[in-house]
Amino acid sequence: MRNVAIPLAIADMEQIYEVLKRYFGYDAFRPMQEEVIRHILGRKDALVLMPTGGGKSLCFQIPALMMEGTAVVISPLISLMKDQVDMLRNNGIEAAALNSSLDSRGHMEVRGQCRNGRLKLLYLSPERLQADLEWIRTHMKVSLFVVDEAHCISAWGHDFRPEYTQLGNLHELFPGVPVAAFTATADKVTREDIVVQLHMQEARLFVGSFDRPNLSLSVVAGCSAKDKQKMILDIIHRHDGESGIIYCMTRKTTEELSSALKLKGVPCACYHAGMDAEQRRMVQNDFRCDRIQVVCATVAFGMGIDKQDVRFVVHYNLPGSIENYYQEIGRGGRDGMPCETVLFYNLQDLVMRRRFAEESAQQELNRQKLGQMQDYAEANVCRRRILLNYFGERSETDCRNCDVCENPPARFDGSELVQKMLSVLVRTGESVGSTAAIDILTRVSSQLIKRKGFDKIKTFGAGAEISREDWKSYLMQMIHLGYVEVDVLHFRRLKVTTLGEDVLYGRKKAELSVIDRRDFKVPRKKPTMEIPYDDEDRSLFEALRALRLTLAREEKMPAYIILSDKCLHSLASRRPSTLAEFGECYGIGEAKTQKYGAKILEIIAAAGVDTSDTCGAAETSAPKPESYMERQKLLHLNSAKSRTSLPDVAW
C-alpha cells in the first residue's frame, strides 16, 4: 500500500478521518487527539501530555502521513522503536528505525529509503540523531520532529537523560520544521523546562486527561513476603493466560520472586540492569511474544515495552515517586481493556527508599517525591482523585474502581475544617506552608508567626481542639481532594484552588474521611473484571485468540500487533460475515483487512454462538464503622457551625 502525502491546504476533517480509518481502523478520535493533529498540521510547535495508553502516538503518526516528507521521531530505547515500527508496518505504513540493532547493510537500506523519500516515519535515538544531523540536513526532507518521552530532557523529570539536552538545536538547524514533544508524566516544573530546553517557539500546551478508568487501583499494606507471594499467585490465577508485570525495588528480589513463581508453574523471567544486553533482549522478546506470562523486573524494564495487553501490574515494593508509579501502572491495559494494579507497601520499603533519596544527586527533590508517594499509599480517599490532582486535574467524584472506593472509610461533613484551613491560607496571602498553617490553627506562636503578625488574624487558634497529627491528615486529604495545591516552585506554599473556593464560600460541601490510626489491613480479594461486551461469543473469542497466536508465530511478531484484544472482542461481538463488515470492526484498516480478513471470516463462519449468560461480580457491602470511629464522626458533626462567606466568620 503506497503512502500518499495529502497537501496541507486541503487537509480538512474528512481527509483526517479517512486516514484514521484507512490505516488504523478507527472511526473516531479519543479526546484531544484531533485538536493536536490539526495544530501540528499547521506546522506549529506543541507539548502534549497524554497518559500512557491515551493514544499519543496517533497524534504525530497521522500528521506524518499527511505532511510532505519524513517525520523524525526521537525515542529513547531500541525496543520501543521496534514495537512502533512493527505496528506501523502492519498497518501498511512505511516506517523504519536507525539504531545499533541494524548491520551495515540494514543501515544502507534505511538510508536509501530516507534519501528517496519512501519513509513517512524514521525512528532514532537522540545520540543517533546528533551523529547523523548533517546527513539528515543534506539528504532528507523532514516534515516534523517528534520528541517522545520528552520528560527525559528535564533534570526535574523522573527519568532524566543528559543526551536529550542536545535536542535544543533542532529549530536552528531546521528552520520552519515544527517540533512536537510528547510525554505521559510531567508536573508543571518539568513541562516548563521541556519548552525551554527544546527552544520551542510559542508552543501550545495540550494536557489530556490523566484518568485511566480501565485501571483498578489497590494498595495492600503491612504484608510479609510470604503473604505477598500468595496474593501474587492469586492475581496470576485470576488472569490465567494473560500477561503481567511485577516491579521490584532490587535485582535480588526480582531473581528470588521469579524463581519462586517458576516453582509454582508460572512461566516467568526476571529482568534487571545487572543482566547483559542479550539476556534482557531475550526476556523482552519472550514477553512481547507471549512465551512467558510474567516478568519480575526493576524499573529498568518497561519504557521500551509497548505491549498492549498487559492485564495486571504489581508493585512488590513502594515506588520512589508518583510519576514512576503512574508510568509503570500505565504499562497495563494500553488497549483500553481492564487491568488490575496492586501496590504492596510496608515500613521497610519506606526506609530503603529514604536511604536512596538521601544518597541521590537531587536529595531534596527525591525526598519530596517520596513523601508524596507515601501519602498516596497511606491515603483513605479515592486513589484516582489523588493521581489526577497530582497532575493538576481536578475531580469532584470518586472513581468506584479503587480499594478505597470499594471499602470506603466512614466520612463526615468536613466543610468547616476545610473552611478553617483555607481561611488561614487566604488571610496569610497564601504565603505559608503546611507547618505554619497548622501552627496558626493550633495556636502555636512560632517566631515566623509572630514576625509576620499571623497570631493577630481571626483564624489563629481556630482549630486548637484538634491535634496537630489530625490536622496533618486532614490537610493531606484536602490536597488529595483538590481543595489545596502545593506550589513547589515557591517554597511549597499552599494555594487555594477553584474547587477550594467553592467550599470556602459555602457554595459546596466537603466530605472528609474519619481518621483511622490502626494498622492497614489487606483489602478483600478483587473479583475478576468483566469484559465490556454483553453479546460477545466467548468461544469465538478464544478461537480468534488461537488464530492470532498462529499468525503471530508465522510472522514472528507479537500477537497484540497482529490484532489487539479489543479488536478480537469486537469481532466476537459483531461476528462479521463479509470483508466489508470485517473492515468496519474496531482497529481494522485496509492493510489488516487484506492480510487477515479471509482467514478470520472462516473462523467466524465455522464457530457456534454461545448465548450463555455471564455472571456479574458479587456485591459486597462496606464494613460498618467501629464505635470509636462513630464517636469521632459525632464529635466533628456536633462541633459544626454554619457559615456563609469569609469576612463574616470568627476564624
Side-chain angles (χ1 to χ4, degrees):
M1 188 181 298
R2 195 166 62 92
N3 295 292
V4 180
I6 302 174
L8 179 60
I10 59 170
D12 59 11
M13 182 182 295
E14 184 178 333
Q15 288 170 313
I16 292 174
Y17 275 86
E18 181 185 337
V19 171
L20 177 70
K21 182 62 182 175
R22 177 184 176 188
Y23 290 104
F24 302 97
Y26 305 139
D27 296 313
F29 287 104
R30 296 183 188 181
M32 205 177 74
Q33 283 181 322
E34 184 180 342
E35 191 179 1
V36 174
I37 289 167
R38 288 183 170 282
H39 181 81
I40 294 174
L41 284 172
R43 307 192 71 79
K44 299 172 184 175
D45 289 355
L47 171 57
V48 183
L49 275 79
M50 272 188 183
T52 305
K56 58 188 175 76
S57 297
L58 210 64
C59 292
F60 62 80
Q61 289 169 352
I62 287 183
L65 287 169
M66 300 183 72
M67 297 168 79
E68 186 180 353
T70 303
V72 174
V73 184
I74 297 104
S75 184
L77 294 174
I78 291 174
S79 53
L80 185 58
M81 297 180 206
K82 178 171 174 53
D83 262 13
Q84 290 281 315
V85 170
D86 285 349
M87 283 184 171
L88 288 166
R89 287 178 174 171
N90 201 44
N91 285 332
I93 298 167
E94 295 288 353
L98 266 178
N99 55 49
S100 58
S101 68
L102 298 176
D103 56 20
S104 57
R105 182 176 178 180
H107 270 97
M108 289 179 61
E109 184 178 337
V110 172
R111 286 175 182 272
Q113 292 172 327
C114 293
R115 191 182 291 108
N116 64 28
R118 183 179 165 191
L119 293 181
K120 295 307 296 177
L121 294 104
L122 174 67
Y123 286 75
L124 34 70
S125 67
E127 299 94 333
R128 173 66 63 178
L129 175 68
Q130 293 302 321
D132 288 350
L133 264 177
E134 191 55 41
W135 187 90
I136 291 172
R137 286 181 66 193
T138 307
H139 296 94
M140 287 177 61
K141 180 174 179 58
V142 179
S143 60
L144 164 71
F145 281 106
V146 176
V147 181
D148 203 7
E149 309 292 351
H151 57 272
C152 294
I153 201 172
S154 174
W156 291 94
H158 64 281
D159 196 22
F160 174 59
R161 299 188 178 212
E163 58 270 19
Y164 261 70
T165 58
Q166 301 175 47
L167 300 177
N169 59 357
L170 293 178
H171 271 307
E172 179 185 339
L173 297 173
F174 298 85
V177 178
V179 175
F182 292 81
T183 179
T185 47
D187 56 20
K188 290 181 181 178
V189 181
T190 307
R191 297 173 201 177
E192 293 172 8
D193 199 28
I194 291 170
V195 172
V196 171
Q197 295 274 4
L198 287 175
H199 300 171
M200 300 181 93
Q201 301 168 357
E202 299 180 354
R204 181 173 169 187
L205 173 65
F206 294 88
V207 182
S209 173
F210 284 84
D211 192 9
R212 293 284 308 281
N214 61 315
L215 304 183
S216 70
L217 307 170
S218 291
V219 175
V220 180
C223 271
S224 66
K226 184 178 179 181
D227 288 338
K228 285 184 187 180
Q229 191 178 127
K230 183 178 183 302
M231 289 191 68
I232 287 170
L233 285 169
D234 287 343
I235 293 167
I236 292 170
H237 292 150
R238 282 207 297 281
H239 296 276
D240 185 33
E242 296 178 328
S243 300
I245 304 171
I246 303 172
Y247 283 106
C248 307
M249 194 186 309
T250 66
R251 300 174 184 180
K252 182 181 178 183
T253 306
T254 67
E255 293 169 352
E256 291 176 348
L257 182 58
S258 175
S259 297
L261 294 178
K262 283 179 183 176
L263 289 175
K264 297 292 185 180
V266 178
C268 70
C270 64
Y271 184 105
H272 56 70
M275 298 163 60
D276 64 46
E278 180 59 21
Q279 286 176 309
R280 294 199 304 272
R281 187 190 66 79
M282 286 178 62
V283 171
Q284 282 188 331
N285 284 340
D286 285 347
F287 186 63
R288 290 172 73 240
C289 297
D290 297 315
R291 289 188 287 268
I292 56 176
Q293 181 187 359
V294 179
V295 175
C296 303
T298 59
V299 293
F301 179 82
M303 183 185 281
I305 295 297
D306 198 26
K307 188 169 170 61
Q308 306 290 300
D309 56 353
V310 173
R311 294 288 167 250
F312 59 94
V313 178
V314 175
H315 280 84
Y316 193 86
N317 306 103
L318 184 74
S321 71
I322 286 181
E323 288 98 335
N324 283 338
Y325 171 69
Y326 181 82
Q327 189 171 61
E328 286 153 17
I329 62 172
R331 287 163 190 149
R334 290 190 175 197
D335 55 5
M337 303 301 287
C339 174
E340 181 177 358
T341 78
V342 177
L343 163 64
F344 291 106
Y345 169 59
N346 58 35
L347 182 61
Q348 293 92 327
D349 292 349
L350 189 59
V351 170
M352 187 172 287
R353 283 291 182 195
R354 281 177 178 163
R355 194 186 78 205
F356 290 164
E358 295 296 333
E359 295 172 353
S360 67
Q362 294 177 299
Q363 252 183 43
E364 185 56 38
L365 177 66
N366 289 330
R367 276 200 301 260
Q368 172 190 318
K369 289 181 178 294
L370 177 58
Q372 291 163 329
M373 190 68 235
Q374 179 184 358
D375 293 338
Y376 171 86
E378 296 178 357
N380 57 0
V381 299
C382 171
R383 299 198 191 277
R384 200 172 313 274
R385 290 180 72 173
I386 299 173
L387 293 179
L388 294 179
N389 281 316
Y390 181 84
F391 292 108
E393 185 176 343
R394 306 295 173 220
S395 172
E396 297 184 41
T397 58
D398 292 347
C399 74
R400 306 180 71 84
N401 194 24
C402 73
D403 57 326
V404 177
C405 288
E406 288 187 345
N407 298 278
R411 292 196 172 99
F412 65 97
D413 183 354
S415 302
E416 179 186 334
L417 297 184
V418 176
Q419 288 165 347
K420 286 182 178 182
M421 176 60 73
L422 300 187
S423 178
V424 167
L425 303 186
V426 171
R427 291 183 187 281
T428 57
E430 298 183 319
S431 64
V432 297
S434 58
T435 300
I438 293 171
D439 283 348
I440 293 168
L441 283 169
T442 55
R443 207 186 298 276
V444 174
S445 297
S446 67
Q447 288 185 354
L448 171 68
I449 303 301
K450 289 179 178 177
R451 188 173 73 250
K452 296 283 188 178
F454 294 153
D455 55 342
K456 304 294 191 297
I457 64 176
K458 284 186 177 181
T459 331
F460 186 71
E465 76 282 5
I466 298 174
S467 72
R468 291 182 63 82
E469 281 302 303
D470 283 2
W471 268 120
K472 288 178 184 177
S473 177
Y474 289 134
L475 176 56
M476 192 51 57
Q477 289 187 47
M478 294 175 205
I479 293 170
H480 288 161
L481 293 170
Y483 303 131
V484 178
E485 66 179 352
V486 182
D487 188 346
V488 295
L489 288 178
H490 297 93
F491 312 105
R492 296 187 59 74
R493 292 170 180 167
L494 302 179
K495 307 288 186 183
V496 181
T497 67
T498 304
L499 193 58
E501 288 177 356
D502 286 339
V503 178
L504 178 60
Y505 294 103
R507 294 189 290 265
K508 289 183 179 176
K509 298 287 187 182
E511 273 200 342
L512 296 178
S513 298
V514 173
I515 298 167
D516 182 359
R517 299 224 179 269
R518 295 170 301 171
D519 291 338
F520 290 98
K521 285 184 168 51
V522 178
R524 67 176 175 81
K525 186 176 76 173
K526 289 181 65 64
T528 303
M529 289 169 287
E530 293 284 326
I531 300 298
Y533 288 91
D534 294 336
D535 56 348
E536 176 182 305
D537 181 346
R538 189 66 193 183
S539 62
L540 175 56
F541 173 80
E542 294 299 337
L544 292 172
R545 208 172 159 199
L547 174 62
R548 180 181 64 176
L549 184 59
T550 300
L551 294 172
R553 286 173 176 167
E554 287 175 357
E555 298 187 29
K556 297 180 180 178
M557 192 177 289
Y560 60 87
I561 289 179
I562 303 293
L563 294 168
S564 70
D565 277 5
K566 193 169 183 179
C567 177
L568 295 189
H569 285 299
S570 174
L571 289 167
S573 177
R574 296 181 65 169
R575 297 183 282 276
S577 58
T578 66
L579 282 176
E581 290 176 355
F582 177 80
E584 291 300 313
C585 290
Y586 177 88
I588 297 176
E590 288 183 11
K592 289 186 178 180
T593 299
Q594 292 174 11
K595 288 171 72 174
Y596 311 125
K599 291 181 180 178
I600 289 175
L601 289 178
E602 284 181 20
I603 295 291
I604 294 173
V609 179
D610 180 7
T611 58
S612 60
D613 292 331
T614 55
C615 297
E619 294 183 2
T620 59
S621 57
K624 290 184 178 180
E626 297 184 8
S627 57
Y628 84 93
M629 295 175 71
E630 291 283 9
R631 288 197 299 271
Q632 188 181 20
K633 183 177 177 182
L634 271 175
L635 172 67
H636 294 303
L637 288 173
N638 290 337
S639 65
K641 300 174 183 177
S642 60
R643 62 176 312 283
T644 52
S645 60
L646 182 63
D648 301 325
V649 297
W651 54 82

